[in-house]
Amino acid sequence: MPTAQILTIGDELLSGDTVNTNLAYLGERCRRLGFEVVRALSVRDRIPEIVAAVADVTVDLCLVSGGLGPTSDDLTAEAVALAAGVPLVRDAASEAAIAAVFAGFGRPMPDINRKQADLPAGCDVLPNPVGTAPGFAASCRAAATSPACRGCRAR
Amino acid sequence: MPTAQILTIGDELLSGDTVNTNLAYLGERCRRLGFEVVRALSVRDRIPEIVAAVADVTVDLCLVSGGLGPTSDDLTAEAVALAAGVPLVRDAASEAAIAAVFAGFGRPMPDINRKQADLPAGCDVLPNPVGTAPGFAASCRAAATSPACRGCRAR
């Protein structure tokens, strides 16, 4: 059976402010899809800690949750790009999709939200039908900093 | 500020069967006590995975939750003993306390529960006023397998 790890990102998960219900949801979904979740890790909103967590992956699939919002403490895309050894690039389709979400509310897209369209070069974009942040799937397999990371999906 | 990690043990935390509310509770308690929780890890009920998790600790305090029950998949004391490089020894006071819990129910202690009194040699026992499993505090600081582990409390 293929193995998976779940990486959840956010200070609020460690301080006790938030119960990590995402973990149980993702664990159950992985199981249904035929993956055995062998490890779950939560780290703070800090680039080096997220990069280290991604680089340390030894399973077939690492699901990443958290840190895709528009504010300065949302660092997942930047950290995964670093771990994969690729730059962040703005994805035009994602930027348009985010603008469309705001248009649906009759509001212009705040500049701060454009950052949510900045994704690791070469990733597969996972469109988000229910919010602004697109997900993405990136391989860290070839990255010098994370030779063991076989797959990484962030959403 | 001293740093802490929370290690929660149990297949049910990874499969989605159980929401990890212990993590939020312990995170909040750590914060109140002046520790910053920098990392939370959940692993399966497997000796090598628990030993590796304990040996990998680089913070001032590692709080461990889970795996102290009487059944064969409760492996925390054995794993911490391995990580600390000490044997498991039966703690007479804990054994008596467990027997007293059962006596309170008017029942003899099942043999299987004696195992809950087997604790790493030299640990500080943390009596349990509300259940059978005693907690314990063990230092893995001097263990060859875990030079970075400065402290470990399991309950």
Side-chain angles (χ1 to χ4, degrees):
Chain A
M1 185 184 287
T3 54
Q5 170 181 314
I6 297 167
L7 172 61
T8 47
I9 297 168
D11 290 8
E12 72 280 9
L13 302 171
L14 299 166
S15 63
D17 287 330
T18 301
V19 174
N20 194 348
T21 52
N22 285 358
L23 170 57
Y25 172 79
L26 292 171
E28 195 266 340
R29 296 287 291 183
C30 280
R31 188 173 55 173
R32 279 206 216 174
L33 291 168
F35 286 87
E36 178 162 16
V37 180
V38 299
R39 194 169 187 264
L41 178 63
S42 299
V43 299
R44 298 185 294 180
D45 299 303
R46 306 280 192 287
I47 289 274
E49 295 174 27
I50 303 168
V51 171
V54 171
D56 192 36
V57 169
T58 58
V59 293
D60 297 306
L61 176 73
C62 177
L63 281 170
V64 184
S65 173
L68 295 180
T71 57
S72 60
D73 62 346
D74 289 303
L75 302 165
T76 297
E78 187 177 347
V80 171
L82 279 168
V86 299
L88 278 181
V89 291
R90 182 150 299 176
D91 180 59
S94 295
E95 190 176 14
I98 296 166
V101 171
F102 281 97
F105 298 133
R107 294 165 47 195
M109 173 168 65
D111 264 348
I112 194 175
N113 286 83
R114 291 184 201 282
K115 153 189 171 187
Q116 294 182 287
D118 293 340
L119 303 175
C123 73
D124 293 320
V125 180
L126 308 173
N128 182 344
V130 294
T132 56
F136 60 91
S139 174
C140 301
R141 209 175 308 196
T145 54
S146 58
C149 179
R150 296 182 52 193
C152 181
R153 294 174 80 88
R155 187 156 198 172
Chain B
M1 184 184 289
T3 55
Q5 170 180 314
I6 297 168
L7 173 61
T8 48
I9 297 168
D11 291 9
E12 72 280 10
L13 302 172
L14 300 166
S15 63
D17 287 330
T18 302
V19 174
N20 194 348
T21 52
N22 285 358
L23 170 57
Y25 173 78
L26 292 170
E28 196 267 339
R29 297 287 290 183
C30 280
R31 188 173 54 173
R32 279 206 218 172
L33 291 168
F35 286 86
E36 179 162 16
V37 181
V38 299
R39 196 167 185 266
L41 179 63
S42 299
V43 299
R44 297 184 296 179
D45 299 303
R46 306 280 193 287
I47 290 272
E49 296 174 24
I50 303 169
V51 171
V54 171
D56 192 36
V57 169
T58 57
V59 293
D60 297 304
L61 176 73
C62 177
L63 281 170
V64 184
S65 173
L68 295 179
T71 57
S72 60
D73 63 345
D74 288 303
L75 302 166
T76 297
E78 187 178 346
V80 171
L82 280 168
V86 299
L88 278 182
V89 292
R90 183 150 300 175
D91 180 59
S94 294
E95 190 176 15
I98 295 167
V101 171
F102 282 97
F105 298 133
R107 293 164 50 195
M109 172 168 67
D111 265 349
I112 194 176
N113 286 84
R114 291 185 200 280
K115 153 188 173 187
Q116 295 182 286
D118 294 340
L119 304 175
C123 74
D124 294 320
V125 180
L126 307 174
N128 182 344
V130 294
T132 55
F136 61 90
S139 175
C140 302
R141 209 175 307 194
T145 53
S146 58
C149 179
R150 296 181 55 192
C152 179
R153 294 173 80 89
R155 186 158 198 172

